[in-house]
Amino acid sequence: MAITHREFDYIKGLIKQEAAIVIDTGKEYLVESRLMPLAQKHGLASVKDLVDNLSKRDNQQLVTQVVEAMTTNETSFFRDFYPFEALKKKVIPDLIANRSAAKELVIWCAATSSGQEPYSLAMLIKENFPQLATWRLRIICSDISEEMLERTRSGVYNQLEVNRGLPVSLLMKYFKQDGTRWIVKDDLRRMLEVRLVNLAAPWPHLPQVDLIMMRNVLIYFDQVTKVSILKHAYDQLKVNGVLLLGSTETTINMNLSYQVQQYEKLSYYSKL
Amino acid sequence: MRALVIDDSRAARMAVSRILKSIGFDVVEAENGEQALDILNKDETITVAMVDWNMPIMNGYEFVKLVRRSDKFREVMLVMVTTENEMSQVVKALSAGANEYVMKPFTDEVILEKLEMLGLRL
């Protein structure tokens, strides 16, 4: 049974309030497909029943689960390919040159989803920058969803997920097989620090960082929230630090202090 | 660019060919390794072969080994596309000279991303 306008508007309002994420009209199918499995998990027959339960406002855990279900995004290893080429050839070498005295590099993947991005970054570093083995390297990965963070911690991926974007040589080197599941080896998993962060709410204490990966997450926020997040991100960066956004996202026309840089197809943003 | 799709299943050949054609490849097809080797010997414009493992007459693993024995084909990229999903099999294919490996089932994106990794997106 298709969801009604009332149910859609309720979910839309809830997600806006809890996560500052805007679900556009026309995405009713998305609400239904994401929430029906959750409704069934709770023994409910429909999304309508789920909305009725939510309306009672006495089950914060259910609210959290709805937010998580609605904000889980598609991801893959080395997503879009060229940003990782730019990281390898330009962004990380520049950061290494700038930080060679302190020998410290702090990276923050701010919308880590199920972990493919930070693991891609960890593999890229191990493969291309062996000198960082003697540095203090931190890869902090955060997400709004506890479920996604647990997936990141576990490092377990199915066959289709490891098919997506991951060179097979890296699959052989950094994963072990368990039937049709592939599990990230411990030395790579140990490189990640996992934190729960809602980008639209006040951020918990985080260190000053050299590189922020905030790709394909701003698209879900309204303009006011986007600007606020980008300002916070600027404050979080060290001088000469770099922000990477998704290909359709930008800081341009937001009256922010970032310096736009270009490397081949990639635009990225520096704090000078 | 020209691609060779090798699979004894017509449906599987069509699935891979459709994806390759969608990004501008010319595609030729073969039903087994022996036929594929014959085509490869006659057609020097082929840049990539998508190779199933289990086929009659000559399987994909034998095909990869034979192709890699010849210096003439050193520029040809070889991508295994197979239901063989054991790590030991993947290692075997890579040792024989396969450049990439796709485990069936796959989506369009899987094939497109593998081609991009190999620098083969048009």
Side-chain angles (χ1 to χ4, degrees):
Chain A
M1 190 173 65
I3 64 167
T4 63
H5 287 307
R6 184 190 75 82
E7 290 146 18
F8 177 72
D9 287 344
Y10 184 87
I11 296 295
K12 183 178 171 171
L14 182 76
I15 301 300
K16 175 82 172 69
Q17 181 191 321
E18 295 288 328
I21 289 173
V22 180
I23 302 171
D24 295 326
T25 304
K27 293 282 174 70
E28 287 82 355
Y29 69 92
L30 186 71
V31 171
E32 183 152 28
S33 64
R34 295 274 177 97
L35 295 188
M36 196 56 210
L38 183 64
Q40 286 167 342
K41 197 170 144 189
H42 284 269
L44 303 168
S46 64
V47 174
K48 177 186 179 304
D49 292 347
L50 187 71
V51 170
D52 288 345
N53 264 18
L54 287 165
S55 320
K56 293 177 195 157
R57 285 276 170 191
D58 61 355
N59 189 345
Q60 187 54 39
Q61 196 190 358
L62 186 61
V63 171
T64 305
Q65 288 172 347
V66 166
V67 172
E68 290 192 348
M70 289 308 306
T71 55
T72 304
N73 306 316
E74 199 221 52
T75 185
S76 63
F77 289 98
F78 297 94
R79 184 175 178 184
D80 300 332
F81 190 68
Y82 68 89
F84 289 91
E85 282 298 293
L87 282 169
K88 182 169 86 180
K89 291 178 179 157
K90 174 72 179 158
V91 177
I92 295 178
D94 284 356
L95 284 171
I96 288 175
N98 278 325
R99 312 298 190 226
S100 58
K103 290 195 184 307
E104 183 187 65
L105 209 53
V106 183
I107 298 170
W108 176 26
C109 293
T112 198
S113 191
S114 38
Q116 283 91 332
E117 180 177 85
Y119 282 124
S120 300
L121 201 55
M123 285 185 274
L124 181 141
I125 287 171
K126 279 186 86 85
E127 289 293 303
N128 298 284
F129 304 102
Q131 67 270 45
L132 292 182
T134 59
W135 285 38
R136 186 170 148 73
L137 171 70
R138 296 179 70 183
I139 303 176
I140 299 164
C141 30
S142 69
D143 200 89
I144 190 176
S145 160
E146 185 55 58
E147 189 185 337
M148 286 297 109
L149 293 178
E150 191 43 48
R151 284 214 56 202
T152 302
R153 273 187 212 104
S154 73
V156 177
Y157 297 96
N158 65 34
Q159 199 162 281
L160 188 58
E161 287 168 325
V162 298
N163 256 340
R164 292 285 315 270
L166 182 62
V168 70
S169 55
L170 298 183
L171 176 67
M172 294 298 104
K173 193 166 174 181
Y174 294 106
F175 291 71
K176 52 192 179 185
Q177 188 176 22
D178 176 22
T180 56
R181 303 186 321 155
W182 295 80
I183 304 164
V184 177
K185 287 183 181 171
D186 288 345
D187 58 338
L188 207 65
R189 279 200 300 148
R190 277 196 292 265
M191 289 175 73
L192 306 190
E193 295 175 37
V194 175
R195 303 277 297 270
L196 187 70
V197 178
N198 178 353
L199 291 173
W203 296 356
H205 176 74
L206 293 164
Q208 291 296 107
V209 297
D210 300 287
L211 169 64
I212 301 177
M213 307 276 284
M214 197 180 276
R215 301 170 62 223
N216 307 303
V217 62
L218 291 179
I219 44 173
Y220 297 100
F221 297 110
D222 60 36
Q223 187 71 2
V224 173
T225 312
K226 264 183 212 173
V227 172
S228 164
I229 291 171
L230 287 168
K231 277 184 179 158
H232 273 112
Y234 190 85
D235 294 339
Q236 204 67 46
L237 280 173
K238 294 182 198 167
V239 173
N240 295 323
V242 169
L243 168 73
L244 248 68
L245 300 175
S247 58
T248 60
E249 300 160 326
T250 178
T251 66
I252 295 169
N253 299 327
M254 290 191 188
N255 197 24
L256 296 166
S257 310
Y258 292 99
Q259 185 80 28
V260 184
Q261 314 268 7
Q262 192 74 32
Y263 179 78
E264 295 182 351
K265 277 166 73 181
L266 182 79
S267 299
Y268 60 99
Y269 307 89
S270 294
K271 177 174 180 173
L272 296 182
Chain B
M1 276 201 272
R2 207 161 159 79
L4 175 58
V5 175
I6 314 159
D7 201 305
D8 58 328
S9 152
R10 185 168 172 266
R13 286 199 306 274
M14 281 173 68
V16 177
S17 297
R18 177 186 57 75
I19 300 166
L20 291 166
K21 285 175 184 169
S22 75
I23 54 165
F25 273 93
D26 285 328
V27 179
V28 276
E29 297 183 3
E31 292 176 18
N32 59 63
E34 193 176 275
Q35 211 179 75
L37 213 51
D38 194 38
I39 292 171
L40 208 54
N41 268 310
K42 290 176 187 155
D43 187 343
E44 291 180 0
T45 64
I46 289 169
T47 53
V48 58
M50 312 295 283
V51 192
D52 182 28
W53 192 304
N54 297 304
M55 294 180 288
I57 304 174
M58 183 194 291
N59 70 33
Y61 173 67
E62 292 298 326
F63 170 79
V64 168
K65 277 203 303 186
L66 282 174
V67 168
R68 283 295 175 248
R69 256 181 228 159
S70 167
D71 201 41
K72 185 179 165 193
F73 304 128
R74 69 174 184 278
E75 302 288 329
V76 179
M77 295 287 179
L78 301 175
V79 181
M80 296 298 294
V81 184
T82 171
T83 52
E84 295 289 338
N85 62 7
E86 286 298 318
M87 198 164 200
S88 57
Q89 296 292 80
V90 182
V91 171
K92 196 171 154 184
L94 293 181
S95 305
N99 300 90
E100 261 304 333
Y101 201 99
V102 173
M103 290 176 268
K104 292 178 183 173
F106 55 81
T107 60
D108 290 15
E109 289 79 15
V110 170
I111 300 288
L112 297 174
E113 286 160 359
K114 293 285 183 188
L115 293 171
E116 183 148 26
M117 278 174 218
L118 297 172
L120 291 173
R121 287 293 290 272
L122 301 179

mmCIF file of all heavy atoms in Angstrom, chain B residues 32-53:
data_model
loop_
_atom_site.group_PDB
_atom_site.id
_atom_site.type_symbol
_atom_site.label_atom_id
_atom_site.label_comp_id
_atom_site.label_asym_id
_atom_site.label_seq_id
_atom_site.Cartn_x
_atom_site.Cartn_y
_atom_site.Cartn_z
ATOM 1 N N ASN B 32 34.070 -19.901 -26.279
ATOM 2 C CA ASN B 32 35.051 -20.608 -25.459
ATOM 3 C C ASN B 32 36.441 -20.043 -25.725
ATOM 4 O O ASN B 32 36.633 -19.210 -26.614
ATOM 5 C CB ASN B 32 35.019 -22.114 -25.755
ATOM 6 C CG ASN B 32 35.314 -22.406 -27.215
ATOM 7 O OD1 ASN B 32 36.414 -22.115 -27.705
ATOM 8 N ND2 ASN B 32 34.340 -22.949 -27.935
ATOM 9 N N GLY B 33 37.410 -20.507 -24.958
ATOM 10 C CA GLY B 33 38.758 -19.963 -25.045
ATOM 11 C C GLY B 33 39.410 -20.179 -26.396
ATOM 12 O O GLY B 33 40.132 -19.303 -26.894
ATOM 13 N N GLU B 34 39.162 -21.334 -26.990
ATOM 14 C CA GLU B 34 39.804 -21.646 -28.271
ATOM 15 C C GLU B 34 39.334 -20.681 -29.362
ATOM 16 O O GLU B 34 40.136 -20.131 -30.114
ATOM 17 C CB GLU B 34 39.471 -23.095 -28.645
ATOM 18 C CG GLU B 34 40.326 -23.632 -29.767
ATOM 19 C CD GLU B 34 40.017 -25.106 -30.017
ATOM 20 O OE1 GLU B 34 40.617 -25.939 -29.314
ATOM 21 O OE2 GLU B 34 39.170 -25.415 -30.868
ATOM 22 N N GLN B 35 37.999 -20.500 -29.405
ATOM 23 C CA GLN B 35 37.429 -19.552 -30.376
ATOM 24 C C GLN B 35 37.977 -18.144 -30.125
ATOM 25 O O GLN B 35 38.315 -17.413 -31.059
ATOM 26 C CB GLN B 35 35.906 -19.554 -30.190
ATOM 27 C CG GLN B 35 35.110 -19.287 -31.436
ATOM 28 C CD GLN B 35 33.614 -19.332 -31.103
ATOM 29 O OE1 GLN B 35 33.083 -18.405 -30.503
ATOM 30 N NE2 GLN B 35 32.958 -20.417 -31.493
ATOM 31 N N ALA B 36 38.094 -17.792 -28.844
ATOM 32 C CA ALA B 36 38.566 -16.451 -28.469
ATOM 33 C C ALA B 36 40.012 -16.241 -28.916
ATOM 34 O O ALA B 36 40.369 -15.174 -29.429
ATOM 35 C CB ALA B 36 38.445 -16.266 -26.956
ATOM 36 N N LEU B 37 40.819 -17.280 -28.727
ATOM 37 C CA LEU B 37 42.228 -17.190 -29.121
ATOM 38 C C LEU B 37 42.345 -16.981 -30.626
ATOM 39 O O LEU B 37 43.179 -16.186 -31.103
ATOM 40 C CB LEU B 37 42.933 -18.486 -28.703
ATOM 41 C CG LEU B 37 44.395 -18.418 -28.290
ATOM 42 C CD1 LEU B 37 44.659 -17.351 -27.251
ATOM 43 C CD2 LEU B 37 44.841 -19.780 -27.761
ATOM 44 N N ASP B 38 41.498 -17.663 -31.352
ATOM 45 C CA ASP B 38 41.464 -17.537 -32.810
ATOM 46 C C ASP B 38 41.132 -16.086 -33.205
ATOM 47 O O ASP B 38 41.783 -15.490 -34.056
ATOM 48 C CB ASP B 38 40.402 -18.523 -33.349
ATOM 49 C CG ASP B 38 40.532 -18.716 -34.836
ATOM 50 O OD1 ASP B 38 41.682 -18.750 -35.318
ATOM 51 O OD2 ASP B 38 39.479 -18.797 -35.513
ATOM 52 N N ILE B 39 40.113 -15.536 -32.555
ATOM 53 C CA ILE B 39 39.704 -14.151 -32.854
ATOM 54 C C ILE B 39 40.833 -13.181 -32.496
ATOM 55 O O ILE B 39 41.178 -12.280 -33.270
ATOM 56 C CB ILE B 39 38.408 -13.785 -32.067
ATOM 57 C CG1 ILE B 39 37.225 -14.592 -32.596
ATOM 58 C CG2 ILE B 39 38.114 -12.284 -32.157
ATOM 59 C CD1 ILE B 39 35.954 -14.476 -31.753
ATOM 60 N N LEU B 40 41.427 -13.402 -31.338
ATOM 61 C CA LEU B 40 42.487 -12.507 -30.861
ATOM 62 C C LEU B 40 43.689 -12.521 -31.817
ATOM 63 O O LEU B 40 44.305 -11.488 -32.072
ATOM 64 C CB LEU B 40 42.924 -12.965 -29.460
ATOM 65 C CG LEU B 40 43.491 -11.929 -28.503
ATOM 66 C CD1 LEU B 40 42.558 -10.747 -28.331
ATOM 67 C CD2 LEU B 40 43.739 -12.580 -27.140
ATOM 68 N N ASN B 41 43.986 -13.687 -32.361
ATOM 69 C CA ASN B 41 45.103 -13.800 -33.306
ATOM 70 C C ASN B 41 44.859 -13.024 -34.590
ATOM 71 O O ASN B 41 45.788 -12.528 -35.213
ATOM 72 C CB ASN B 41 45.364 -15.276 -33.632
ATOM 73 C CG ASN B 41 46.399 -15.864 -32.687
ATOM 74 O OD1 ASN B 41 47.472 -15.297 -32.488
ATOM 75 N ND2 ASN B 41 46.054 -16.986 -32.084
ATOM 76 N N LYS B 42 43.574 -12.948 -34.974
ATOM 77 C CA LYS B 42 43.253 -12.271 -36.241
ATOM 78 C C LYS B 42 42.972 -10.780 -36.063
ATOM 79 O O LYS B 42 43.020 -10.027 -37.027
ATOM 80 C CB LYS B 42 42.018 -12.940 -36.863
ATOM 81 C CG LYS B 42 42.296 -14.342 -37.383
ATOM 82 C CD LYS B 42 41.016 -14.963 -37.897
ATOM 83 C CE LYS B 42 41.245 -16.424 -38.248
ATOM 84 N NZ LYS B 42 40.008 -17.208 -38.180
ATOM 85 N N ASP B 43 42.604 -10.374 -34.860
ATOM 86 C CA ASP B 43 42.148 -8.999 -34.649
ATOM 87 C C ASP B 43 43.048 -8.296 -33.638
ATOM 88 O O ASP B 43 42.918 -8.483 -32.430
ATOM 89 C CB ASP B 43 40.692 -9.008 -34.147
ATOM 90 C CG ASP B 43 40.106 -7.615 -34.072
ATOM 91 O OD1 ASP B 43 40.876 -6.628 -34.088
ATOM 92 O OD2 ASP B 43 38.867 -7.507 -33.994
ATOM 93 N N GLU B 44 43.967 -7.477 -34.151
ATOM 94 C CA GLU B 44 44.934 -6.829 -33.258
ATOM 95 C C GLU B 44 44.388 -5.571 -32.592
ATOM 96 O O GLU B 44 45.087 -4.912 -31.827
ATOM 97 C CB GLU B 44 46.202 -6.487 -34.044
ATOM 98 C CG GLU B 44 46.969 -7.734 -34.438
ATOM 99 C CD GLU B 44 48.231 -7.418 -35.229
ATOM 100 O OE1 GLU B 44 48.499 -6.219 -35.468
ATOM 101 O OE2 GLU B 44 48.928 -8.374 -35.590
ATOM 102 N N THR B 45 43.128 -5.227 -32.902
ATOM 103 C CA THR B 45 42.572 -3.988 -32.334
ATOM 104 C C THR B 45 41.883 -4.234 -30.985
ATOM 105 O O THR B 45 41.427 -3.288 -30.344
ATOM 106 C CB THR B 45 41.557 -3.343 -33.293
ATOM 107 O OG1 THR B 45 40.449 -4.232 -33.444
ATOM 108 C CG2 THR B 45 42.180 -3.040 -34.641
ATOM 109 N N ILE B 46 41.811 -5.492 -30.560
ATOM 110 C CA ILE B 46 41.128 -5.779 -29.288
ATOM 111 C C ILE B 46 42.002 -5.317 -28.111
ATOM 112 O O ILE B 46 43.177 -5.679 -28.022
ATOM 113 C CB ILE B 46 40.802 -7.285 -29.175
ATOM 114 C CG1 ILE B 46 39.673 -7.612 -30.162
ATOM 115 C CG2 ILE B 46 40.400 -7.674 -27.750
ATOM 116 C CD1 ILE B 46 39.419 -9.074 -30.364
ATOM 117 N N THR B 47 41.395 -4.500 -27.227
ATOM 118 C CA THR B 47 42.159 -3.962 -26.096
ATOM 119 C C THR B 47 41.832 -4.667 -24.788
ATOM 120 O O THR B 47 42.607 -4.612 -23.846
ATOM 121 C CB THR B 47 41.890 -2.453 -25.905
ATOM 122 O OG1 THR B 47 40.480 -2.261 -25.815
ATOM 123 C CG2 THR B 47 42.456 -1.639 -27.037
ATOM 124 N N VAL B 48 40.648 -5.293 -24.718
ATOM 125 C CA VAL B 48 40.273 -5.946 -23.471
ATOM 126 C C VAL B 48 39.439 -7.198 -23.758
ATOM 127 O O VAL B 48 38.616 -7.203 -24.678
ATOM 128 C CB VAL B 48 39.498 -4.973 -22.539
ATOM 129 C CG1 VAL B 48 38.253 -4.426 -23.188
ATOM 130 C CG2 VAL B 48 39.161 -5.614 -21.181
ATOM 131 N N ALA B 49 39.678 -8.242 -22.963
ATOM 132 C CA ALA B 49 38.848 -9.448 -23.059
ATOM 133 C C ALA B 49 38.193 -9.705 -21.708
ATOM 134 O O ALA B 49 38.853 -9.668 -20.664
ATOM 135 C CB ALA B 49 39.705 -10.643 -23.471
ATOM 136 N N MET B 50 36.870 -9.923 -21.747
ATOM 137 C CA MET B 50 36.116 -10.248 -20.532
ATOM 138 C C MET B 50 35.927 -11.760 -20.554
ATOM 139 O O MET B 50 35.258 -12.294 -21.463
ATOM 140 C CB MET B 50 34.752 -9.540 -20.537
ATOM 141 C CG MET B 50 34.833 -8.048 -20.886
ATOM 142 S SD MET B 50 35.726 -7.059 -19.675
ATOM 143 C CE MET B 50 34.509 -6.926 -18.382
ATOM 144 N N VAL B 51 36.494 -12.481 -19.593
ATOM 145 C CA VAL B 51 36.676 -13.924 -19.724
ATOM 146 C C VAL B 51 35.941 -14.706 -18.629
ATOM 147 O O VAL B 51 36.251 -14.567 -17.443
ATOM 148 C CB VAL B 51 38.188 -14.269 -19.637
ATOM 149 C CG1 VAL B 51 38.424 -15.713 -20.058
ATOM 150 C CG2 VAL B 51 39.030 -13.316 -20.464
ATOM 151 N N ASP B 52 34.999 -15.531 -19.041
ATOM 152 C CA ASP B 52 34.353 -16.470 -18.112
ATOM 153 C C ASP B 52 35.370 -17.572 -17.762
ATOM 154 O O ASP B 52 36.326 -17.804 -18.512
ATOM 155 C CB ASP B 52 33.112 -17.065 -18.791
ATOM 156 C CG ASP B 52 32.360 -18.016 -17.878
ATOM 157 O OD1 ASP B 52 32.418 -17.848 -16.650
ATOM 158 O OD2 ASP B 52 31.703 -18.945 -18.403
ATOM 159 N N TRP B 53 35.183 -18.217 -16.628
ATOM 160 C CA TRP B 53 36.133 -19.278 -16.237
ATOM 161 C C TRP B 53 35.706 -20.634 -16.809
ATOM 162 O O TRP B 53 36.426 -21.280 -17.569
ATOM 163 C CB TRP B 53 36.217 -19.359 -14.709
ATOM 164 C CG TRP B 53 37.352 -20.207 -14.213
ATOM 165 C CD1 TRP B 53 37.603 -21.510 -14.520
ATOM 166 C CD2 TRP B 53 38.404 -19.788 -13.354
ATOM 167 N NE1 TRP B 53 38.735 -21.938 -13.896
ATOM 168 C CE2 TRP B 53 39.256 -20.902 -13.160
ATOM 169 C CE3 TRP B 53 38.723 -18.591 -12.695
ATOM 170 C CZ2 TRP B 53 40.402 -20.847 -12.358
ATOM 171 C CZ3 TRP B 53 39.854 -18.552 -11.890
ATOM 172 C CH2 TRP B 53 40.686 -19.669 -11.731
#
